[in-house]
Amino acid sequence: MSEVKKPNIEIEDAGYGALIILITLAFAYLVAPFFGAVLWGVVAAIMFEPMTRKLTAVLGGRKSLSAALVLVGLLALVILPTIVLGVSLVNEASALYAKIKAGDISFPQILAQLEHALPDRVAQFVRQYGLTDFNTLRRMFGSSVTSGLQTVASQALMLGQGALSFLAALGVMLYLTFFLLRDGQRYTELVRDAMPLRPKMRDSLFAHFTVVVRATMKGTVVVAVMQGLVGGIIFSLLGIEGALLWGVLMGFLSLLPAVGTGLVWVPVAIYLLVTGSVWQGVVLIICGMFVIGMIDNVLRPVLVGRDTRLPDFVVLIATLSGLQLFGLNGFIVGPVIAALFIAMWNIVKEQRDEARRPYETGITAAASEEDVARAEAEAGAHPG
């Protein structure tokens, strides 16, 4: 019986593999300017694919109409409100920066009022530990807030200058989303079949990727929107100036587990208390602890689930690193990469467990047979 020879890898095969890598890198470099548009197009398609599938079944299999209707809903309910919110945010930041520049709002003066309003014991504690350099604190805090607002306000001019590129990116995102919603299953099968991985490992990785993207979006975006919206409404009802700005800031900071929104409402509540607005400060503390803070504890487990939720320290590190490396897109890229990292190592563990199971079963079976043989031998030696 002749042995089956394994095909040898020739130089032509190695050359073709190198060419594939080179062309893939060139293609990635080509689409890099629209990285954000492609990313959000893929994410939107993954998020709304179940809705498109159900709508296709209702409309008798008309995929194009279903994808178009979902895309119109996405544009009307998500994209346009986000654009309006961004414009309103820039306008409010510009107005606030103008007041600071005109002297109507003085952060050094606010900190000076805070210094004088400190109780005697707190002031003694501050002096005891050498924390009395309020002049430096006023300069640092005032300049930091002013420069931050100036940066946000300057985005109005940048939005006007970059309107064409923004519209181009938005068009690419919507165009890609439409085709992925309509033919996403076929494209997924093409990519999956082309991947040089074992079928079981490949299917598990694709399933993990889909679950991770949906869990990350639901666990970050939805919770951030809800916390920012509720926080902004509370600030507005309490008459705090810049409620929209503070609400958006709380929404972004809610991406940081445990302490996110508290970085905004806790200092504001302390300022309200020490400057005489006691009932507003008390109401803000109560709402911050039992309304804004509880949104994360209640919504996130329901939307994400226990199986796909990452540890808080992993989410924190991945989010901060993603924002630093990828900008605004990083708050989705970072957690997704971290979740896929954990998922891939879980797949490796599952593969090893499956490979080890027959070996352990064989050892157990052999041990059982040996015990049976020993028992029979003892029974024969002592028949009574």
Side-chain angles (χ1 to χ4, degrees):
M1 186 175 181
S2 61
E3 297 181 355
V4 178
K5 294 183 179 180
K6 295 182 179 180
N8 296 324
I9 299 178
E10 299 180 354
I11 189 171
E12 289 83 359
D13 300 323
Y16 187 71
L19 184 61
I20 288 178
I21 296 175
L22 181 62
I23 295 299
T24 302
L25 293 176
F27 180 75
Y29 178 77
L30 180 67
V31 300
F34 291 97
F35 168 74
V38 173
L39 171 68
W40 288 106
V42 173
V43 169
I46 292 175
M47 292 297 298
F48 294 99
E49 184 272 336
M51 182 186 300
T52 307
R53 187 173 62 250
K54 293 178 182 179
L55 191 58
T56 301
V58 172
L59 296 176
R62 288 184 283 185
K63 294 184 178 180
S64 297
L65 180 59
S66 302
L69 291 176
V70 172
L71 197 63
V72 170
L74 176 65
L75 185 63
L77 299 178
V78 178
I79 296 177
L80 290 181
T82 302
I83 295 175
V84 173
L85 177 63
V87 174
S88 301
L89 176 63
V90 170
N91 292 334
E92 185 164 317
S94 302
L96 191 59
Y97 174 69
K99 289 184 178 181
I100 294 175
K101 192 174 181 180
D104 297 336
I105 299 177
S106 176
F107 285 101
Q109 183 179 357
I110 292 174
L111 288 175
Q113 294 176 357
L114 180 61
E115 177 185 359
H116 292 301
L118 288 176
D120 294 337
R121 291 184 179 181
V122 177
Q124 184 179 359
F125 174 82
V126 169
R127 287 192 296 269
Q128 180 180 356
Y129 287 92
L131 303 176
T132 56
D133 192 5
F134 280 92
N135 292 326
T136 303
L137 183 60
R138 283 194 293 265
R139 288 195 300 268
M140 292 177 57
F141 183 75
S143 61
S144 299
V145 174
T146 304
S147 61
L149 289 173
Q150 184 179 9
T151 301
V152 176
S154 64
Q155 297 300 313
L157 179 61
M158 295 180 61
L159 286 175
Q161 295 175 345
L164 185 60
S165 60
F166 171 77
L167 292 176
L170 180 61
V172 169
M173 180 259 183
L174 295 175
Y175 193 70
L176 176 63
T177 303
F178 172 78
F179 284 101
L180 290 180
L181 287 174
R182 192 187 68 177
D183 305 317
Q185 187 65 31
R186 181 166 63 89
Y187 294 141
T188 301
E189 292 177 357
L190 290 174
V191 174
R192 185 173 54 191
D193 294 340
M195 292 185 68
L197 295 174
R198 295 178 181 177
K200 189 173 183 180
M201 186 177 294
R202 176 198 63 199
D203 296 340
S204 179
L205 183 60
F206 264 77
H208 274 88
F209 176 76
T210 303
V211 171
V212 162
V213 170
R214 288 175 180 166
T216 302
M217 288 298 296
K218 290 188 295 184
T220 56
V221 176
V222 176
V223 173
V225 169
M226 289 301 300
Q227 286 189 311
L229 178 63
V230 172
I233 292 175
I234 292 173
F235 273 51
S236 178
L237 293 177
L238 293 176
I240 300 173
E241 192 169 359
L244 177 61
L245 185 62
W246 296 121
V248 173
L249 186 59
M250 277 190 282
F252 276 109
L253 291 177
S254 68
L255 301 175
L256 305 179
V259 298
T261 56
L263 296 175
V264 176
W265 66 262
V266 170
V268 175
I270 293 174
Y271 171 75
L272 291 174
L273 290 175
V274 300
T275 54
S277 303
V278 178
W279 75 267
Q280 291 95 332
V282 172
V283 170
L284 183 57
I285 291 175
I286 295 174
C287 293
M289 294 176 60
F290 299 104
V291 179
I292 301 175
M294 290 301 294
I295 290 176
D296 181 76
N297 298 328
V298 173
L299 276 184
R300 197 181 298 270
V302 174
L303 295 174
V304 178
R306 297 182 181 270
D307 296 336
T308 57
R309 184 172 182 178
L310 295 175
D312 286 343
F313 69 91
V314 175
V315 176
L316 176 62
I317 296 173
T319 302
L320 292 178
S321 301
L323 290 172
Q324 184 175 1
L325 294 174
F326 301 99
L328 185 59
N329 299 318
F331 88 89
I332 179 68
V333 176
V336 166
I337 292 177
L340 287 178
F341 171 79
I342 295 176
M344 290 184 70
W345 281 103
N346 286 335
I347 292 173
V348 172
K349 179 180 178 298
E350 292 172 2
Q351 296 289 330
R352 287 183 175 179
D353 291 342
E354 290 182 2
R356 193 183 298 118
R357 193 172 295 114
Y359 175 73
E360 294 176 350
T361 304
I363 293 178
T364 304
S368 300
E369 292 177 359
E370 184 178 350
D371 292 339
V372 172
R374 186 182 298 110
E376 290 177 351
E378 291 179 356
H382 304 283

